[in-house]
């Protein structure tokens, strides 16, 4: 689902969100409904507790409850490492198929053009690619964020709700490993790959601050805004829609 929320920014801001369909009334579900999460994993997950890519997983002695996995794009030419926080159910313990779908679309120019639509086209391509700033809500394994870093986004802010610190440790491990693979220095990684705890409905000002500012912002009323918002498998529960918006 792609939208342009005009109330978020005077500039063009695009939202990319994807979620599996469900025949249940998700508003009746609670965070403790692990049985339902397990059912979703069995249908839509690629890693973690589902039937996904567990054969390529590993962990180390320093992080025994954080597993390392490999994702490869459909062409087989681009590899990304992601980490799962096994003790953070629903917030980083699974890679969802919707994340893979968004990642593929971010990688391919023709898929980006189709995804963002004709309003985003400028001189035959998506406006401002890679984006100056991108923000991922409910990042979990943050595969789309890793792709955005690879594509050259100026700043990528990865957020998720606090379950425990493992979610954020796993995100840092993913950005560290992938940035080394892509010859991104540690100094540059610390500037471009930002991890923040955020619960939907909280004051978003801290996220704008995390995105940083540059010379363009000094001459713009929309300074500090994000060009791209990503929400992968975040809209299955209507209870949280208002808080997310």
């Amino acid at each position: 689902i792609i939208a342009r929320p005009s109330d978020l920014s005077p500039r063009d801001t695009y939202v990319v969100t994807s979620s599996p369909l469900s025949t249940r009334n998700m508003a009746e579900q609670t965070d403790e409904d692990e049985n339902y999460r397990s059912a979703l994993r069995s249908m839509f997950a690629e890693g973690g507790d589902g039937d996904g890519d567990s054969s390529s997983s590993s962990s180390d002695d320093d992080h025994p409850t954080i597993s390392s996995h490999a994702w490869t794009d459909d062409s087989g030419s681009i590899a990304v490492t992601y980490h799962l926080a096994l003790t953070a159910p629903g917030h980083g313990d699974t890679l969802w198929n919707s994340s893979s779908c968004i990642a593929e679309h971010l990688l391919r120019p023709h898929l980006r053009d189709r995804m963002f639509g004709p309003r985003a086209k400028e001189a035959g391509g998506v406006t401002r690619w890679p984006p100056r700033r991108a923000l991922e809500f409910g990042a979990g394994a943050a595969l789309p964020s890793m792709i955005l870093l690879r594509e050259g986004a100026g700043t990528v802010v990865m957020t998720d709700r606090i379950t425990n610190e493992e979610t954020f440790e796993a995100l840092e491990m993913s950005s560290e490993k992938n940035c080394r693979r892509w010859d991104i220095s540690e100094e540059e990684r610390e500037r471009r790959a930002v991890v923040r705890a955020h619960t939907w409905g909280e004051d978003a000002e801290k996220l704008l601050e995390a995105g940083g500012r540059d010379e363009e912002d000094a001459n713009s009323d929309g300074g500090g805004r994000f060009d791209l918002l990503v929400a992968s498998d975040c809209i299955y529960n209507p209870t949280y829609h208002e808080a997310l918006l």
Side-chain angles (χ1 to χ4, degrees):
I1 302 172
I2 311 301
R4 179 186 177 184
S6 57
D7 58 323
L8 290 180
S9 172
R11 292 203 308 256
D12 286 349
T13 298
Y14 291 89
V15 179
V16 181
T17 182
S18 177
S19 184
L21 297 177
S22 170
T23 58
R24 289 189 66 171
N25 179 6
M26 288 299 295
E28 297 176 358
Q29 301 303 308
T30 65
D31 287 344
E32 290 73 34
D33 193 351
E34 183 57 34
N35 289 333
Y36 190 73
R37 286 199 187 97
S38 296
L40 282 178
R41 288 191 190 98
S42 68
M43 293 185 288
F44 300 110
E46 292 197 5
D49 296 333
D51 295 329
D53 184 17
S54 60
S55 62
S56 63
S57 66
S58 63
S59 60
D60 59 52
D61 293 338
D62 292 334
H63 302 89
T65 56
I66 296 179
S67 59
S68 176
H69 303 254
W71 177 87
T72 306
D73 73 320
D74 285 347
S75 71
S77 61
I78 297 173
V80 177
T81 297
Y82 66 94
H83 294 80
L84 298 179
L86 305 181
T87 62
H91 299 277
D93 65 331
T94 303
L95 177 68
W96 302 99
N97 285 333
S98 52
S99 292
S100 293
C101 179
I102 289 176
E104 291 284 353
H105 278 68
L106 294 175
L107 281 169
R108 313 289 175 218
H110 71 286
L111 293 179
R112 286 201 301 268
D113 285 349
R114 184 188 306 172
M115 178 170 64
F116 291 113
R119 293 180 67 182
K121 287 190 175 182
E122 187 174 272
V126 171
T127 301
R128 192 188 290 279
W129 191 263
R132 281 195 302 157
R133 297 186 189 86
L135 170 66
E136 183 168 7
F137 291 107
L143 180 60
S145 288
M146 296 302 121
I147 294 299
L148 287 166
L149 285 171
R150 182 188 183 277
E151 286 289 293
T155 304
V156 180
V157 180
M158 296 163 268
T159 71
D160 212 320
R161 179 180 177 181
I162 294 179
T163 299
N164 56 49
E165 290 300 321
E166 279 198 354
T167 297
F168 309 103
E169 291 176 11
L171 288 172
E172 293 286 1
M173 291 168 66
S174 295
S175 70
E176 288 175 5
K177 188 157 188 175
N178 287 304
C179 284
R180 284 198 301 269
R181 169 183 285 152
W182 300 325
D183 294 324
I184 297 173
S185 69
E186 179 61 15
E187 180 181 1
E188 183 179 351
R189 183 192 75 84
E190 290 180 354
R191 176 177 56 81
R192 292 177 55 204
V194 181
V195 175
R196 291 289 186 272
H198 179 70
T199 298
W200 303 340
E202 291 181 346
D203 184 6
E205 190 63 33
K206 64 180 181 180
L207 301 181
L208 297 175
E209 294 174 0
R213 293 176 61 86
D214 57 27
E215 292 180 359
E216 273 192 56
D217 295 324
N219 301 315
S220 171
D221 292 335
R225 303 282 181 164
F226 290 91
D227 306 298
L228 179 66
L229 307 179
V230 179
S232 174
D233 197 14
C234 288
I235 59 174
Y236 57 85
N237 191 339
T239 301
Y240 301 115
H241 287 181
E242 184 175 353
L244 176 59
L245 292 174

